[in-house]
Amino acid sequence: MSRSASPLSAAALALALLASAASPAAEVVVVGTAHLAMLQPAPDAAQREAVVRRLAGYAPTRVCIEAIPGERVEAFLADPARHGELLSTFAMDAVRLAGEQQARLGLEGRQARAEAGRLAAMPALDEAQQVRLVSLQLAGHEPWSAALNWSRLSPAQREAAQARIGRVAAGRLDALAASENEIASLALPLARSLGQRELCAVDPFVDELGVNALADELMPLLADPSVGRGLEDFNAQQASHWDATSPDGLLGLLAWMNSESFARADLAAEWAVFDRGVGHDADKRRLMLWHARNAEITAYLARELARADGERVLLLVGGAHRPFLQASLGALPWVEVRDAQALLSTP
């Protein structure tokens, strides 16, 4: 005698059938990257521009980055004893540049973010509005979006804007916009070329607190010479894909970093070392914290996809995250995950 399907299993089947029949509601591409400021030798401007042009061909409607969202910075500031180290490591500019702008504007962070969102959505801004948008984004703990709009101003306009935002903020924005890291050298010019006024931050980093708490327990494993040799071999493999003499050298490196070959090598060198077949020890907890961090990023990306302008979202993120994020996003109905390796490999 057959047993009827439970309501839960029937609902799951219906969801699967619906997802298979429906077209995706939104697209996302996760582009894994090296931390460019650490590449030796550093990529030159032409090599970075080649990557930006290739990514621009995807025409993303939102460009997202590996940074703490402004609202989370504000929330973390409410508990400095717990989150002070996190903020000083991953959000120093978001913290130290906000206070002066909040005082100048007479606004709190959440109010500044709300007004910045309205300004950013306007079809055109005059010079005064552009400078106000920069100040609002700084006040809202979103320095990379502020750097994006600061980079649109001419040198003369930046000089004049110092009276509005202050010399300290202006100097730091100049430094951020000129940075050699992947946000400044890839995400920022990509968003600017597409006429966008915001970079969406999607990584709260909060699970790094748990990782820090495991440091003493993990130290014996990380001190194992075989772990060090595995990382050295992996770094050598990555270096072999970095042809600093080729105009397309950075494209080639990133194409490899978005391949299955990279995913397997990174899994073996960075993550499988924590799976030693013992109980629920610090090793396994470290892996779960990595999953938790990627789950937070996935949730933020889903919210970006839910926006009216979230039709095609591009995330630029450290290469180790990419395989995990692709897997979690790929499990979602109504979301199409585009192949970053194909995007970087196809002119």
Side-chain angles (χ1 to χ4, degrees):
M1 179 177 177
S2 64
R3 300 171 64 184
S4 61
S6 70
L8 182 60
S9 62
L13 177 61
L15 179 63
L17 291 173
L18 180 60
S20 65
S23 60
E27 292 181 12
V28 61
V29 60
V30 180
V31 180
T33 178
H35 294 301
L36 300 190
M38 299 174 65
L39 275 187
Q40 295 296 327
D44 62 30
Q47 290 167 326
R48 298 193 299 268
E49 288 165 7
V51 173
V52 171
R53 286 195 301 272
R54 191 67 56 85
L55 297 179
Y58 176 63
T61 54
R62 297 282 288 170
V63 176
C64 297
I65 57 173
E66 189 178 347
I68 303 180
E71 71 273 10
R72 295 297 288 272
V73 173
E74 190 168 17
F76 293 161
L77 282 169
D79 189 356
R82 175 170 173 75
H83 296 112
E85 183 179 356
L86 182 76
L87 291 171
S88 66
T89 304
F90 299 109
M92 181 57 74
D93 287 313
V95 173
R96 67 183 176 184
L97 296 176
E100 180 183 1
Q101 304 309 309
Q102 290 175 4
R104 286 174 177 269
L105 296 165
L107 297 173
E108 297 178 355
R110 60 181 178 79
Q111 296 169 318
R113 287 191 299 277
E115 185 180 339
R118 292 190 293 270
L119 264 183
M122 292 176 61
L125 299 179
D126 61 28
E127 183 179 337
Q129 289 172 317
Q130 290 183 66
V131 174
R132 183 170 179 83
L133 178 57
V134 169
S135 182
L136 287 164
Q137 289 170 329
L138 288 177
H141 305 286
E142 296 176 338
W144 284 113
S145 288
L148 166 64
N149 292 295
W150 184 254
S151 72
R152 284 202 171 90
L153 299 174
S154 70
Q157 290 173 327
R158 293 188 195 186
E159 181 67 28
Q162 291 187 22
R164 297 274 302 276
I165 70 169
R167 290 194 174 275
V168 171
R172 187 57 191 153
L173 286 170
D174 283 339
L176 284 176
S179 169
E180 293 184 347
N181 72 24
E182 57 275 12
I183 297 177
S185 57
L186 298 180
L188 192 151
L190 173 62
R192 186 174 60 235
S193 74
L194 296 166
Q196 297 173 12
R197 299 194 182 103
E198 297 173 313
L199 290 171
C200 58
V202 298
D203 187 359
F205 285 91
V206 69
D207 294 293
E208 293 303 307
L209 291 173
V211 176
N212 290 344
L214 295 175
D216 289 343
E217 295 177 77
L218 293 174
M219 192 60 66
L221 169 64
L222 298 178
D224 186 327
S226 66
V227 173
R229 287 193 296 271
L231 287 171
E232 288 176 4
D233 291 344
F234 173 70
N235 290 334
Q237 188 175 358
Q238 177 170 306
S240 72
H241 289 273
W242 170 220
D243 183 357
T245 64
S246 169
D248 291 334
L250 188 57
L251 271 171
L253 173 62
L254 297 190
W256 174 72
M257 292 190 69
N258 287 274
S259 69
E260 286 306 308
S261 173
F262 171 88
R264 288 191 298 269
D266 184 69
L267 183 68
E270 289 202 74
W271 305 109
V273 296
F274 294 112
D275 183 11
R276 297 186 295 176
V278 292
H280 188 63
D281 55 10
D283 301 4
K284 299 298 192 304
R285 287 150 56 202
R286 172 67 184 96
L287 293 173
M288 293 309 102
L289 287 168
W290 179 243
H291 283 323
R293 183 175 169 190
N294 286 309
E296 285 253 32
I297 296 173
T298 298
Y300 270 96
L301 287 172
R303 295 185 189 103
E304 292 299 321
L305 292 166
R307 289 173 53 109
D309 59 353
E311 180 183 357
R312 287 184 306 281
V313 172
L314 183 149
L315 169 64
L316 192 73
V317 70
H321 290 277
R322 193 265 311 168
F324 295 89
L325 294 172
Q326 278 190 334
S328 59
L329 290 163
L332 301 178
W334 309 295
V335 174
E336 181 178 357
V337 182
R338 298 293 298 270
D339 184 350
Q341 183 185 24
L343 174 63
L344 291 160
S345 302
T346 305

Short mmCIF file of all heavy atoms in Angstrom, two decimals, residues 226-272:
data_model
loop_
_atom_site.label_atom_id
_atom_site.label_comp_id
_atom_site.label_asym_id
_atom_site.label_seq_id
_atom_site.Cartn_x
_atom_site.Cartn_y
_atom_site.Cartn_z
N SER A 226 53.36 20.53 7.18
CA SER A 226 52.68 20.10 5.96
C SER A 226 51.64 21.13 5.52
O SER A 226 51.39 21.31 4.32
CB SER A 226 52.01 18.74 6.17
OG SER A 226 50.97 18.82 7.12
N VAL A 227 51.01 21.81 6.49
CA VAL A 227 50.06 22.86 6.15
C VAL A 227 50.79 24.01 5.47
O VAL A 227 50.33 24.54 4.44
CB VAL A 227 49.31 23.34 7.40
CG1 VAL A 227 48.43 24.56 7.08
CG2 VAL A 227 48.46 22.21 7.98
N GLY A 228 51.91 24.40 6.02
CA GLY A 228 52.70 25.47 5.41
C GLY A 228 53.16 25.13 4.02
O GLY A 228 53.13 25.98 3.11
N ARG A 229 53.59 23.87 3.82
CA ARG A 229 54.03 23.46 2.48
C ARG A 229 52.87 23.49 1.49
O ARG A 229 53.04 23.88 0.33
CB ARG A 229 54.65 22.07 2.54
CG ARG A 229 56.03 22.04 3.19
CD ARG A 229 56.72 20.71 2.94
NE ARG A 229 55.99 19.59 3.56
CZ ARG A 229 56.19 19.15 4.79
NH1 ARG A 229 57.09 19.75 5.57
NH2 ARG A 229 55.51 18.13 5.27
N GLY A 230 51.68 23.08 1.95
CA GLY A 230 50.52 23.12 1.08
C GLY A 230 50.18 24.53 0.63
O GLY A 230 49.87 24.76 -0.55
N LEU A 231 50.27 25.49 1.56
CA LEU A 231 50.01 26.88 1.20
C LEU A 231 51.09 27.42 0.27
O LEU A 231 50.79 28.18 -0.66
CB LEU A 231 49.93 27.73 2.46
CG LEU A 231 48.65 27.55 3.30
CD1 LEU A 231 48.78 28.28 4.63
CD2 LEU A 231 47.43 28.03 2.54
N GLU A 232 52.33 27.04 0.50
CA GLU A 232 53.41 27.48 -0.40
C GLU A 232 53.19 26.95 -1.81
O GLU A 232 53.39 27.68 -2.79
CB GLU A 232 54.76 27.00 0.15
CG GLU A 232 55.22 27.73 1.40
CD GLU A 232 56.51 27.16 1.95
OE1 GLU A 232 57.08 26.23 1.31
OE2 GLU A 232 56.97 27.62 3.01
N ASP A 233 52.80 25.68 -1.92
CA ASP A 233 52.53 25.10 -3.25
C ASP A 233 51.38 25.82 -3.93
O ASP A 233 51.42 26.09 -5.14
CB ASP A 233 52.22 23.61 -3.11
CG ASP A 233 53.43 22.79 -2.69
OD1 ASP A 233 54.56 23.31 -2.80
OD2 ASP A 233 53.24 21.63 -2.26
N PHE A 234 50.34 26.13 -3.15
CA PHE A 234 49.19 26.83 -3.71
C PHE A 234 49.59 28.23 -4.19
O PHE A 234 49.21 28.66 -5.28
CB PHE A 234 48.07 26.92 -2.67
CG PHE A 234 46.90 27.77 -3.10
CD1 PHE A 234 46.05 27.34 -4.11
CD2 PHE A 234 46.67 28.99 -2.51
CE1 PHE A 234 44.97 28.13 -4.52
CE2 PHE A 234 45.60 29.78 -2.90
CZ PHE A 234 44.76 29.35 -3.90
N ASN A 235 50.35 28.94 -3.38
CA ASN A 235 50.80 30.28 -3.77
C ASN A 235 51.68 30.24 -5.00
O ASN A 235 51.62 31.13 -5.86
CB ASN A 235 51.53 30.94 -2.61
CG ASN A 235 50.60 31.31 -1.46
OD1 ASN A 235 49.42 31.53 -1.67
ND2 ASN A 235 51.14 31.36 -0.25
N ALA A 236 52.50 29.19 -5.12
CA ALA A 236 53.34 29.04 -6.30
C ALA A 236 52.50 28.79 -7.54
O ALA A 236 52.78 29.29 -8.63
CB ALA A 236 54.35 27.90 -6.09
N GLN A 237 51.43 28.00 -7.36
CA GLN A 237 50.53 27.73 -8.47
C GLN A 237 49.85 29.03 -8.92
O GLN A 237 49.73 29.30 -10.13
CB GLN A 237 49.48 26.70 -8.07
CG GLN A 237 48.60 26.21 -9.21
CD GLN A 237 47.67 25.10 -8.78
OE1 GLN A 237 47.68 24.65 -7.64
NE2 GLN A 237 46.82 24.66 -9.69
N GLN A 238 49.43 29.83 -7.96
CA GLN A 238 48.82 31.11 -8.32
C GLN A 238 49.82 32.01 -9.03
O GLN A 238 49.48 32.66 -10.04
CB GLN A 238 48.28 31.81 -7.07
CG GLN A 238 47.69 33.19 -7.35
CD GLN A 238 46.95 33.76 -6.16
OE1 GLN A 238 46.06 33.14 -5.62
NE2 GLN A 238 47.34 34.97 -5.74
N ALA A 239 51.04 32.06 -8.54
CA ALA A 239 52.07 32.90 -9.16
C ALA A 239 52.33 32.49 -10.60
O ALA A 239 52.63 33.34 -11.46
CB ALA A 239 53.35 32.85 -8.33
N SER A 240 52.21 31.19 -10.89
CA SER A 240 52.46 30.71 -12.25
C SER A 240 51.41 31.21 -13.24
O SER A 240 51.65 31.21 -14.45
CB SER A 240 52.51 29.19 -12.27
OG SER A 240 51.22 28.62 -12.10
N HIS A 241 50.25 31.61 -12.72
CA HIS A 241 49.18 32.13 -13.59
C HIS A 241 49.22 33.65 -13.71
O HIS A 241 48.38 34.21 -14.41
CB HIS A 241 47.82 31.68 -13.06
CG HIS A 241 47.55 30.22 -13.24
ND1 HIS A 241 46.99 29.70 -14.40
CD2 HIS A 241 47.77 29.16 -12.42
CE1 HIS A 241 46.87 28.39 -14.27
NE2 HIS A 241 47.33 28.04 -13.09
N TRP A 242 50.16 34.28 -13.05
CA TRP A 242 50.27 35.75 -13.10
C TRP A 242 51.41 36.14 -14.02
O TRP A 242 52.57 36.09 -13.66
CB TRP A 242 50.47 36.30 -11.70
CG TRP A 242 50.82 37.76 -11.58
CD1 TRP A 242 51.72 38.30 -10.71
CD2 TRP A 242 50.30 38.87 -12.32
NE1 TRP A 242 51.80 39.66 -10.86
CE2 TRP A 242 50.93 40.04 -11.85
CE3 TRP A 242 49.36 38.98 -13.35
CZ2 TRP A 242 50.65 41.31 -12.35
CZ3 TRP A 242 49.07 40.24 -13.86
CH2 TRP A 242 49.71 41.37 -13.37
N ASP A 243 51.04 36.50 -15.26
CA ASP A 243 52.00 36.94 -16.26
C ASP A 243 52.01 38.46 -16.27
O ASP A 243 51.21 39.10 -16.98
CB ASP A 243 51.63 36.38 -17.64
CG ASP A 243 52.66 36.75 -18.70
OD1 ASP A 243 53.62 37.49 -18.38
OD2 ASP A 243 52.50 36.32 -19.85
N ALA A 244 52.90 39.04 -15.48
CA ALA A 244 52.92 40.49 -15.33
C ALA A 244 53.39 41.20 -16.59
O ALA A 244 53.24 42.42 -16.71
CB ALA A 244 53.83 40.87 -14.16
N THR A 245 53.94 40.47 -17.56
CA THR A 245 54.44 41.09 -18.79
C THR A 245 53.37 41.18 -19.87
O THR A 245 53.57 41.86 -20.87
CB THR A 245 55.63 40.29 -19.34
OG1 THR A 245 55.19 38.98 -19.74
CG2 THR A 245 56.73 40.16 -18.29
N SER A 246 52.25 40.50 -19.69
CA SER A 246 51.21 40.47 -20.72
C SER A 246 50.16 41.53 -20.47
O SER A 246 49.71 41.71 -19.32
CB SER A 246 50.54 39.09 -20.74
OG SER A 246 49.37 39.11 -21.55
N PRO A 247 49.69 42.22 -21.52
CA PRO A 247 48.60 43.18 -21.34
C PRO A 247 47.34 42.54 -20.75
O PRO A 247 46.56 43.20 -20.07
CB PRO A 247 48.35 43.71 -22.75
CG PRO A 247 49.62 43.45 -23.48
CD PRO A 247 50.19 42.20 -22.91
N ASP A 248 47.16 41.24 -21.04
CA ASP A 248 46.01 40.50 -20.51
C ASP A 248 46.39 39.63 -19.32
O ASP A 248 45.67 38.69 -18.98
CB ASP A 248 45.39 39.63 -21.62
CG ASP A 248 44.72 40.45 -22.70
OD1 ASP A 248 44.29 41.58 -22.41
OD2 ASP A 248 44.62 39.97 -23.85
N GLY A 249 47.51 39.95 -18.67
CA GLY A 249 47.98 39.11 -17.59
C GLY A 249 47.02 39.03 -16.42
O GLY A 249 46.81 37.95 -15.85
N LEU A 250 46.42 40.15 -16.03
CA LEU A 250 45.48 40.13 -14.91
C LEU A 250 44.20 39.41 -15.29
O LEU A 250 43.62 38.68 -14.48
CB LEU A 250 45.19 41.55 -14.45
CG LEU A 250 44.38 41.67 -13.15
CD1 LEU A 250 45.04 40.95 -11.99
CD2 LEU A 250 44.15 43.15 -12.80
N LEU A 251 43.76 39.59 -16.53
CA LEU A 251 42.60 38.83 -17.01
C LEU A 251 42.87 37.34 -16.91
O LEU A 251 42.01 36.56 -16.47
CB LEU A 251 42.29 39.19 -18.47
CG LEU A 251 41.33 40.36 -18.72
CD1 LEU A 251 41.32 40.70 -20.20
CD2 LEU A 251 39.93 40.03 -18.24
N GLY A 252 44.07 36.91 -17.31
CA GLY A 252 44.40 35.49 -17.25
C GLY A 252 44.42 34.96 -15.84
O GLY A 252 43.92 33.86 -15.57
N LEU A 253 45.00 35.74 -14.92
CA LEU A 253 45.03 35.30 -13.53
C LEU A 253 43.61 35.16 -12.97
O LEU A 253 43.28 34.15 -12.34
CB LEU A 253 45.82 36.30 -12.69
CG LEU A 253 45.79 36.07 -11.17
CD1 LEU A 253 46.41 34.72 -10.81
CD2 LEU A 253 46.49 37.21 -10.44
N LEU A 254 42.77 36.16 -13.21
CA LEU A 254 41.42 36.11 -12.66
C LEU A 254 40.57 35.03 -13.34
O LEU A 254 39.70 34.43 -12.69
CB LEU A 254 40.74 37.47 -12.78
CG LEU A 254 41.40 38.61 -12.00
CD1 LEU A 254 40.50 39.85 -11.99
CD2 LEU A 254 41.72 38.20 -10.57
N ALA A 255 40.82 34.77 -14.61
CA ALA A 255 40.11 33.67 -15.27
C ALA A 255 40.42 32.35 -14.57
O ALA A 255 39.53 31.52 -14.32
CB ALA A 255 40.46 33.61 -16.75
N TRP A 256 41.70 32.14 -14.24
CA TRP A 256 42.07 30.92 -13.51
C TRP A 256 41.45 30.92 -12.12
O TRP A 256 40.96 29.89 -11.64
CB TRP A 256 43.59 30.80 -13.40
CG TRP A 256 44.00 29.63 -12.53
CD1 TRP A 256 43.90 28.31 -12.83
CD2 TRP A 256 44.52 29.70 -11.20
NE1 TRP A 256 44.33 27.53 -11.78
CE2 TRP A 256 44.73 28.36 -10.76
CE3 TRP A 256 44.85 30.74 -10.35
CZ2 TRP A 256 45.24 28.07 -9.50
CZ3 TRP A 256 45.37 30.45 -9.10
CH2 TRP A 256 45.55 29.12 -8.68
N MET A 257 41.44 32.05 -11.44
CA MET A 257 40.89 32.12 -10.08
C MET A 257 39.39 31.89 -10.04
O MET A 257 38.81 31.68 -8.97
CB MET A 257 41.24 33.46 -9.43
CG MET A 257 42.72 33.63 -9.15
SD MET A 257 43.10 35.07 -8.14
CE MET A 257 42.41 34.57 -6.56
N ASN A 258 38.74 31.92 -11.20
CA ASN A 258 37.31 31.63 -11.27
C ASN A 258 37.03 30.29 -11.94
O ASN A 258 35.93 30.04 -12.42
CB ASN A 258 36.59 32.78 -11.98
CG ASN A 258 36.49 34.01 -11.10
OD1 ASN A 258 35.57 34.14 -10.31
ND2 ASN A 258 37.48 34.90 -11.21
N SER A 259 38.04 29.42 -11.93
CA SER A 259 37.92 28.10 -12.54
C SER A 259 37.72 27.02 -11.49
O SER A 259 37.96 27.23 -10.30
CB SER A 259 39.19 27.78 -13.34
OG SER A 259 40.30 27.58 -12.45
N GLU A 260 37.33 25.84 -11.93
CA GLU A 260 37.21 24.71 -11.02
C GLU A 260 38.58 24.25 -10.54
O GLU A 260 38.73 23.76 -9.42
CB GLU A 260 36.47 23.56 -11.71
CG GLU A 260 34.98 23.81 -11.87
CD GLU A 260 34.32 24.14 -10.54
OE1 GLU A 260 34.50 23.36 -9.57
OE2 GLU A 260 33.64 25.18 -10.46
N SER A 261 39.60 24.44 -11.37
CA SER A 261 40.96 24.08 -10.98
C SER A 261 41.39 24.89 -9.75
O SER A 261 41.95 24.34 -8.79
CB SER A 261 41.93 24.33 -12.14
OG SER A 261 43.28 24.15 -11.73
N PHE A 262 41.13 26.19 -9.77
CA PHE A 262 41.45 27.02 -8.61
C PHE A 262 40.64 26.57 -7.39
O PHE A 262 41.17 26.48 -6.28
CB PHE A 262 41.15 28.49 -8.90
CG PHE A 262 41.24 29.37 -7.67
CD1 PHE A 262 42.44 29.94 -7.30
CD2 PHE A 262 40.11 29.60 -6.88
CE1 PHE A 262 42.53 30.73 -6.16
CE2 PHE A 262 40.20 30.38 -5.74
CZ PHE A 262 41.41 30.95 -5.38
N ALA A 263 39.36 26.31 -7.59
CA ALA A 263 38.50 25.93 -6.46
C ALA A 263 39.03 24.67 -5.77
O ALA A 263 39.06 24.60 -4.54
CB ALA A 263 37.07 25.71 -6.95
N ARG A 264 39.45 23.69 -6.56
CA ARG A 264 39.98 22.45 -5.97
C ARG A 264 41.29 22.72 -5.22
O ARG A 264 41.51 22.21 -4.11
CB ARG A 264 40.20 21.40 -7.06
CG ARG A 264 38.90 20.82 -7.61
CD ARG A 264 39.19 19.60 -8.49
NE ARG A 264 40.01 19.94 -9.65
CZ ARG A 264 39.51 20.30 -10.82
NH1 ARG A 264 38.20 20.40 -11.00
NH2 ARG A 264 40.33 20.57 -11.84
N ALA A 265 42.16 23.52 -5.83
CA ALA A 265 43.45 23.79 -5.21
C ALA A 265 43.28 24.59 -3.91
O ALA A 265 43.93 24.31 -2.90
CB ALA A 265 44.35 24.56 -6.18
N ASP A 266 42.40 25.57 -3.92
CA ASP A 266 42.17 26.39 -2.74
C ASP A 266 41.52 25.59 -1.63
O ASP A 266 41.87 25.72 -0.45
CB ASP A 266 41.31 27.60 -3.10
CG ASP A 266 41.11 28.53 -1.93
OD1 ASP A 266 42.08 29.19 -1.53
OD2 ASP A 266 39.97 28.60 -1.39
N LEU A 267 40.57 24.72 -2.00
CA LEU A 267 39.91 23.87 -1.00
C LEU A 267 40.93 22.99 -0.29
O LEU A 267 40.91 22.86 0.94
CB LEU A 267 38.85 23.01 -1.68
CG LEU A 267 38.01 22.12 -0.75
CD1 LEU A 267 37.11 22.95 0.13
CD2 LEU A 267 37.19 21.12 -1.58
N ALA A 268 41.85 22.42 -1.06
CA ALA A 268 42.86 21.53 -0.47
C ALA A 268 43.83 22.29 0.42
O ALA A 268 44.19 21.83 1.51
CB ALA A 268 43.61 20.81 -1.58
N ALA A 269 44.25 23.47 -0.02
CA ALA A 269 45.29 24.21 0.71
C ALA A 269 44.75 24.96 1.92
O ALA A 269 45.42 25.04 2.96
CB ALA A 269 45.99 25.18 -0.23
N GLU A 270 43.54 25.55 1.79
CA GLU A 270 43.05 26.45 2.83
C GLU A 270 42.00 25.84 3.74
O GLU A 270 41.87 26.27 4.90
CB GLU A 270 42.48 27.72 2.19
CG GLU A 270 43.51 28.66 1.60
CD GLU A 270 42.97 30.08 1.49
OE1 GLU A 270 42.87 30.74 2.54
OE2 GLU A 270 42.64 30.49 0.37
N TRP A 271 41.22 24.87 3.26
CA TRP A 271 40.05 24.45 4.02
C TRP A 271 40.07 22.97 4.39
O TRP A 271 39.68 22.62 5.51
CB TRP A 271 38.77 24.79 3.23
CG TRP A 271 38.76 26.25 2.89
CD1 TRP A 271 38.93 26.81 1.67
CD2 TRP A 271 38.66 27.34 3.82
NE1 TRP A 271 38.93 28.19 1.76
CE2 TRP A 271 38.75 28.53 3.08
CE3 TRP A 271 38.47 27.41 5.20
CZ2 TRP A 271 38.68 29.79 3.67
CZ3 TRP A 271 38.40 28.67 5.80
CH2 TRP A 271 38.51 29.83 5.03
N ALA A 272 40.49 22.09 3.49
CA ALA A 272 40.51 20.67 3.82
C ALA A 272 41.44 20.36 4.98
O ALA A 272 41.28 19.35 5.67
CB ALA A 272 40.90 19.85 2.59
#
